[in-house]
Amino acid sequence: MQRFKPLFLSPKHSRITTLPILSHLRNFSSSFLTQNNDSEDLQNQVLVEGNPTSRTAILNRPSALNALNTNVCSRLQKLYESWEEDPNIGFVVLKGSGRAFCAGGDIVALYRLLNEGKVKECKEFFRSAYGFMYLVGTYLKPHVALMDGVTMGGGAGISIPGTFRVVTDKTIFATPETQIGFHPDAGASFYLSRLPGFLGEYLSLTGDKLNGVEMMACGLATHYSPSTRLTWIEERLRKLVTDDPSTIETSLEEFSIADLPEESSVMHRIETIDKCFSHDTVEEIVDAMETEATGSNDELFTSAVKKLKQAAPLSLKVALKSIRDGRYQTFDQCMVREYRMSLQAMSKQISNDFSEGVRARLVEKDFLPKWNPSCLEQVSQDMVNSYFTRLSDTEADLELPIKSREAFV
C-alpha cells in the first residue's frame, strides 16, 4: 500500500498496482467567509472531469475560495472510493475553481452552527473532513494536487498527504489557526513537524505564509511551475494512459522549473528560526524572537513577534505541544488527536477562543479578540493537557480504517 512520501525528497515512485491502464491573516480574512446561499447546488460544489484513464475533481465554491464543508468532503470521499475501485482509472487529479485551490474549512459556517447550538453538525464536519484527508494520504492510486492560489489549513490537508503537490507563482500557503483561537489541524501536526529544523513550529505558531518557491524549498511541494503552464500540465495529464507514478512524475517535470527563494524569505533565516523556536516553551520562543527583532531590525522577525502577540495565548501553547507530539506519531495518530482537539475547541469547555477569534477576525471584523486566558502566563499546563483529551469518557474518537489502509510512519 502507498506510504507517505518523505517531504524533503522527490524520489522516483515505484508502480503502485497493476491496472488496465492535488501577510497576515487579516489579509486573507475573506478566505474563510462562507456564502450561505440556500439555492447553491450541493452536487455542483464538487465537479468531475472524466478522462479516458483518469478523473479530475474540481472544488467549485469560488465565492468562498473553495472552503470545505461537510457536503464537499462527503462527496469527495464517495468519488475517490469509487475511482479507487474502478480498474479503468489510473490516477486522480484535484484542483480548485477560481483564484483559490482551497482556503481551508468553512469556519464561519462552523461559528454559526455553534451559535445555533448545533455541535453535532460541527463534529460531523470534522469526521468527514479528516476521514477524506486520511483517504488521500493512503490512496492506492497516484494523486496529483494542483495547488494554484490560496492553500490554507484544510486545503493543505487534502493535498499535502497525496503523491504529487504542484505549486505555482500564485500559491499562498499558511496555517493561521492560532490567530483565530484554534490550532493547526487537518494533519498539520504531522507534516509541519517533519519540515527541516523547527520551521514547523515557526509556521504553526505565527501562521506566516509561504509561496510556491518556498514550499518547494522546504519539501511541502513536489513540483513548481508558473501558473501560465497549468493548462499545459492539465492537457498532458488528460492524455496520459497510466497508473505509474514515475510516468506522471516525468510529465510534471517537463513543465516544472527550479527557482530559489527571495532574500527576504524565511528560508534564508532557518538558523535563527531554529535557535528561537527550539525552546521548550512559548514564553522562551517569544523572548528569543523579540531579542532577534530588536537586535537585527529584520522585518520578518518583527512581523513574527507581532503575530505571536496577536495570537490566542492558549492556542500558541496547544499548537506547540501538538507539533512536538506529532513529531513522534504516525499520520493516523495525529489525525485522531487533532480530532479530539478540534472537538475541545468547539465545545468551549476550556475556552471560547475559537468563537471569539472568528467573531473578531472574520465576522464583525473589529480585530480585537478578547482571548481567555488573555496572556501566556495565565495558560496552565492543565488547560493545555485537557485540550488533548476526549470531551468525555463516552465521546467516540475519530475512526479511521487503519487495518485496511496502512498508516504513515
Side-chain angles (χ1 to χ4, degrees):
M1 183 173 288
Q2 177 179 325
R3 287 182 178 270
F4 181 72
K5 283 64 61 185
L7 289 173
F8 320 127
L9 305 173
S10 295
K12 296 295 182 181
H13 304 280
S14 60
R15 192 176 183 84
I16 292 178
T17 184
T18 302
L19 298 174
I21 52 141
L22 205 286
S23 95
H24 177 269
L25 175 67
R26 183 170 182 170
N27 295 351
F28 296 107
S29 61
S30 62
S31 302
F32 300 101
L33 292 181
T34 180
Q35 303 295 323
N36 284 336
N37 185 349
D38 291 337
S39 64
E40 186 175 26
D41 187 341
L42 297 179
Q43 191 77 359
N44 287 335
Q45 289 184 0
V46 179
L47 303 178
V48 175
E49 180 183 275
N51 301 301
T53 57
S54 67
R55 293 292 183 271
T56 298
I58 306 170
L59 304 175
N60 190 42
R61 302 184 69 212
S63 60
L65 298 189
N66 300 321
L68 302 174
N69 57 28
T70 303
N71 176 72
V72 169
C73 296
S74 297
R75 177 159 162 73
L76 284 169
Q77 178 94 16
K78 293 176 182 177
L79 289 171
Y80 272 54
E81 288 175 345
S82 67
W83 296 339
E84 190 176 60
E85 295 173 358
D86 190 336
N88 296 308
I89 296 176
F91 64 95
V92 173
V93 179
L94 180 62
K95 58 181 283 189
S97 59
R99 62 192 180 93
F101 170 67
C102 175
D106 196 338
I107 60 175
V108 172
L110 290 174
Y111 167 83
R112 290 170 177 159
L113 287 172
L114 286 177
N115 285 348
E116 296 168 4
K118 298 179 179 179
V119 178
K120 181 179 179 181
E121 285 80 354
C122 294
K123 293 180 182 180
E124 178 57 29
F125 165 71
F126 287 109
R127 277 197 300 270
S128 62
Y130 292 1
F132 175 65
M133 293 165 192
Y134 186 75
L135 177 62
V136 171
T138 58
Y139 209 55
L140 294 178
K141 297 180 179 181
H143 186 266
V144 182
L146 302 178
M147 302 156 68
D148 186 43
V150 175
T151 304
M152 301 204 298
I158 62 174
S159 54
I160 288 178
T163 322
F164 301 109
R165 308 174 293 277
V166 181
V167 294
T168 74
D169 51 299
K170 294 183 179 180
T171 301
I172 301 171
F173 166 86
T175 53
E177 288 84 358
T178 61
Q179 298 290 319
I180 56 164
F182 200 56
H183 61 95
D185 70 322
S189 66
F190 181 80
Y191 66 78
L192 288 182
S193 66
R194 283 155 176 78
L195 294 183
F198 293 88
L199 180 61
E201 279 89 338
Y202 169 79
L203 294 173
S204 64
L205 269 62
T206 66
D208 201 9
K209 305 184 302 294
L210 295 181
N211 60 33
V213 174
E214 292 168 325
M215 291 182 71
M216 279 292 297
C218 71
L220 285 173
T222 59
H223 297 81
Y224 173 80
S225 175
S227 59
T228 53
R229 296 186 182 183
L230 273 184
T231 54
W232 302 348
I233 292 175
E234 292 183 60
E235 184 60 28
R236 173 61 61 84
L237 292 175
R238 289 189 191 100
K239 294 178 179 178
L240 282 183
V241 180
T242 187
D243 66 330
D244 188 346
S246 62
T247 300
I248 298 170
E249 183 168 33
T250 299
S251 297
L252 293 175
E253 287 176 348
E254 290 181 20
F255 301 100
S256 300
I257 65 172
D259 204 351
L260 296 175
E262 297 179 354
E263 285 301 315
S264 60
S265 170
V266 67
M267 299 308 298
H268 292 294
R269 293 160 173 77
I270 291 298
E271 184 176 344
T272 301
I273 294 299
D274 286 351
K275 181 174 68 174
C276 294
F277 284 83
S278 61
H279 287 292
D280 293 334
T281 68
V282 176
E283 288 90 343
E284 291 173 312
I285 290 172
V286 173
D287 288 344
M289 284 303 299
E290 286 184 318
T291 299
E292 290 293 336
T294 301
S296 66
N297 291 319
D298 190 306
E299 184 177 344
L300 186 142
F301 298 149
T302 301
S303 175
V305 170
K306 182 179 179 181
K307 291 172 184 175
L308 287 169
K309 292 187 174 182
Q310 290 174 334
L314 176 59
S315 291
L316 289 175
K317 292 196 174 185
V318 165
L320 182 61
K321 176 174 169 54
S322 181
I323 295 296
R324 298 278 164 88
D325 288 357
R327 194 162 278 132
Y328 302 99
Q329 294 177 326
T330 59
F331 181 60
D332 61 293
Q333 290 171 337
C334 287
M335 295 300 292
V336 170
R337 173 175 48 74
E338 289 177 7
Y339 178 74
R340 290 184 177 187
M341 297 166 66
S342 296
L343 295 199
Q344 287 286 2
M346 296 298 107
S347 74
K348 306 181 184 180
Q349 290 182 5
I350 303 172
S351 173
N352 188 45
D353 279 353
F354 172 73
S355 290
E356 174 61 12
V358 176
R359 178 206 65 78
R361 304 269 189 209
L362 309 177
V363 180
E364 298 179 9
K365 298 184 181 180
D366 58 29
F367 299 98
L368 296 171
K370 296 178 176 61
W371 304 127
N372 182 27
S374 61
C375 62
L376 291 170
E377 292 72 23
Q378 294 177 1
V379 181
S380 69
Q381 191 59 46
D382 285 344
M383 295 177 69
V384 175
N385 291 341
S386 295
Y387 218 96
F388 291 72
T389 62
R390 289 187 296 171
L391 288 179
S392 68
D393 292 338
T394 59
E395 183 69 43
D397 269 330
L398 177 68
E399 293 185 4
L400 296 172
I402 58 175
K403 291 184 179 181
S404 59
R405 308 191 71 90
E406 182 180 1
F408 299 149
V409 296

